[in-house]
Structures are given as structure tokens and as C-alpha cells.
Amino acid sequence: MDIAENGRQAVDACRQHAYDLILMDVQMPVMDGYEAAGAIRQLEAATAPPSPEAPEQQQRTPIVAMTANALKDDRDRCLAAGMDDFITKPIKRQALLNTVTKWAGNGHTPVAEVGGAPTSGGGAPSKAPPLPMDLQTAVEEFGDRPLVLEVANELLSNGQRQLKIMEEALKNGDLDRLRKEAHAVKGGAWTIEARPLGDLAETIEHHSRERESDPIGPLLERFVKELDRLESFLRQQTG
């Protein structure tokens, strides 16, 4: 499996390799998933023209969108951009396996994942659980407790770094940067079942998108406390 950090890298990778399947995060820096999907379709049309005998057999790599939005308009936008299907975040293991089987079958060429860790949760934020992380559910999903704890500690470390970026972005009025960082936190947190942190990041992302800066300061203060709660929880699990 090859991993691209943004849409432009994905397009470049498709110039070099043939893939059975592309998992495409729709929100990325440099070039988002919609633009990347369109560019890949243009590349396919330019480099693999249809056979005169069977134009319907033109090579087309399936592209599956990974999106936190489950609304019909979002699905339609994915299809209009040249994608074939979508899975809603947080990505569940069985759903991912089913999607890979559906589109990639038993082929032997690699899968490309674009956009890093999958993001999570369609619809309204769920009610925060009493613990900062549902460790049991995360372990059941991924099947490896040490791996889950390792990823959770990495999320914590990244969250502390991303907090500083968000604070600086708020200070400078850069709500676009703030939104992107909050989106990244949301995806990672929801993926490992750290729902309270992910829900809080989603709220910050929403206010950033709506250009509503006033509520963000207090939300970032809550973000600090949620990181502290997660840190204490993880320390108890590994102590």
C-alpha cells in the first residue's frame, strides 16, 4: 500500500503506478480529494485511451472517498468529481474490508491511501462518554491493544502540537489554518474512539468554517483539559 499526504502526491503516484483501488480523503492540503480525483481521471483519459473495439474497457482505477459527511449532496459531489463510492468516517475495519473486496477484488496491484489517517463521524456529534477514550471498542475494532495505545499516545503528542498551531492561528485570525488542524484532530481522535476530543475538535472546525472566532478561545481551553484527561487515562493504561 502506498500513502500520499495530499492530492497532488496522489496524482503524481498514479503517473508512476497502476492501482487496484484508491482511498481518497476529501479534505487535504495542497489539492483536495475532489480536485485529485478529477486530475486522476484526466490522466487516465490522456494515457490510456479507449480501445476502438471496447471503449467501455478503458482503464479506470476505482476511487473511494473517505468522508465525515454522509449527506446526499456530499455523495453527489464525490461522484461528480469522478469517484466511484464513499465510506463514512470513522472507518470501521469490516466496512473497509468490504469496500476493498468490492472494488479491488483479488487483484495484486497495490492500494493507494490518500490523506493519512481516516477521519470520522457523519451527522451530529455524539454525546461524550464518561471516559476520554473507549479503549475496549478501539481494541475490538483493531484487534491489538498495544497498537491502539501506541496510536493513542501518538495522537496525544500530535494534539499537543496541533493545539499550539490552533492557538497561534486564532491569534493571527487564520481561521482556515485553524479549521484544517481541527479537522485533522477530529479524524484521528474519532478513529481511536477518543470521542470527546474528536467532538470538541469538530465544534472548533465548525466555528472556524463559519468564520465565528469568538467561541473558539473557550473551546481551545476545553481542548487543553481534554488532552490532559486523555493523557491521564493513557498513563493509567500503561502504568
Side-chain angles (χ1 to χ4, degrees):
M1 182 177 72
D2 294 334
I3 299 178
E5 295 183 358
N6 57 62
R8 182 170 297 168
Q9 289 184 8
V11 177
D12 291 341
C14 288
R15 289 193 177 96
Q16 305 297 324
H17 305 284
Y19 294 99
D20 280 335
L21 176 65
I22 298 172
L23 303 175
M24 182 76 75
D25 195 344
V26 297
Q27 293 195 34
M28 293 181 291
V30 184
M31 177 186 286
D32 66 24
Y34 304 111
E35 294 175 288
I40 290 170
R41 294 304 181 217
Q42 291 177 1
L43 180 64
E44 289 174 341
T47 59
S51 166
E53 293 79 14
E56 73 279 2
Q57 297 300 316
Q58 178 179 356
Q59 180 178 352
R60 177 186 173 95
T61 303
I63 301 177
V64 176
M66 301 186 299
T67 174
N69 302 315
L71 300 177
K72 183 179 183 298
D73 288 346
D74 299 300
R75 178 184 176 88
D76 291 344
R77 186 180 177 189
C78 290
L79 298 179
M83 303 189 210
D84 300 284
D85 201 351
F86 81 103
I87 47 180
T88 305
K89 305 171 185 179
I91 309 299
K92 299 300 182 181
R93 179 174 55 180
Q94 191 58 53
L96 178 61
L97 291 175
N98 291 343
T99 300
V100 170
T101 300
K102 174 183 176 181
W103 290 106
N106 294 318
H108 299 289
T109 53
V111 171
E113 180 177 346
V114 186
T119 61
S120 171
S126 61
K127 184 178 180 180
L131 293 175
M133 177 181 175
D134 187 345
L135 181 59
Q136 179 178 349
T137 298
V139 172
E140 289 173 356
E141 178 65 27
F142 293 99
D144 189 326
R145 178 186 169 93
L147 174 62
V148 169
L149 290 173
E150 179 181 349
V151 173
N153 277 287
E154 183 176 350
L155 170 75
L156 176 64
S157 178
N158 288 338
Q160 292 166 339
R161 174 183 56 81
Q162 290 165 310
L163 170 63
K164 296 179 181 179
I165 295 174
M166 289 190 289
E167 289 174 333
E168 187 67 21
L170 179 62
K171 179 181 177 181
N172 296 331
D174 189 351
L175 296 184
D176 288 333
R177 179 67 185 277
L178 204 158
R179 175 183 56 80
K180 291 176 182 178
E181 291 298 326
H183 178 81
V185 173
K186 177 186 72 174
W190 273 342
T191 298
I192 64 162
E193 300 296 334
R195 299 291 309 190
L197 183 65
D199 291 347
L200 185 55
E202 183 190 43
T203 303
I204 295 172
E205 179 187 17
H206 168 76
H207 287 297
S208 301
R209 182 184 301 111
E210 297 300 319
R211 323 304 293 180
E212 299 168 350
S213 58
D214 288 347
I216 296 177
L219 288 170
L220 289 177
E221 293 177 3
R222 288 175 52 193
F223 192 92
V224 173
K225 295 178 180 178
E226 196 56 49
L227 285 176
D228 289 343
R229 285 207 323 132
L230 180 60
E231 183 176 20
S232 297
F233 175 81
L234 294 174
R235 191 182 301 117
Q236 293 172 6
Q237 306 307 313
T238 57

